Amino acid sequence: MDPRLRRFGNGLMTCIAVVWFGHQTLYGEGVLRIFSALMLVMSVIAIAGAVLNDIRPRPKRRRSRERDAC
C-alpha cells in the first residue's frame, strides 16, 4: 500500500475514533462513559505526541573526525 494512502487511512481512523469516544463520553452510560473518557484522554495525548514528533526538527547525523595515525 502507498505510504501516503496508509498515513491518510490511519489519520482518518484516528479521527473517527476520537469523535466516537467523545460522543460516548458525552452521551454514553455507566462504565462505557468512563472507559470512553479514558480512551479519549489517551488518544489526545497520543495525537499530541505524534504532532510534536512531526514538527520537531530531526537531529543531524554527526560524523566522527578522522584522526591521523602517525
Side-chain angles (χ1 to χ4, degrees):
M1 185 184 294
D2 186 26
R4 289 179 289 177
L5 187 59
R6 170 168 273 188
R7 186 171 175 159
F8 176 73
N10 285 341
L12 183 64
M13 290 303 293
T14 302
C15 182
I16 291 170
V18 167
V19 168
W20 187 81
F21 287 135
H23 180 268
Q24 290 302 320
T25 300
L26 292 174
Y27 304 111
E29 294 181 3
V31 178
L32 179 63
R33 189 175 198 169
I34 296 169
F35 175 74
S36 295
L38 291 174
M39 291 300 292
L40 184 61
V41 169
M42 290 192 314
S43 298
V44 167
I45 291 171
I47 291 169
V51 167
L52 287 176
N53 192 26
D54 285 343
I55 292 174
R56 243 184 265 147
R58 305 261 189 260
K60 305 274 182 180
R61 186 174 180 179
R62 296 182 184 175
R63 294 185 180 178
S64 62
R65 296 180 183 169
E66 293 180 13
R67 297 182 181 176
D68 255 344
C70 293

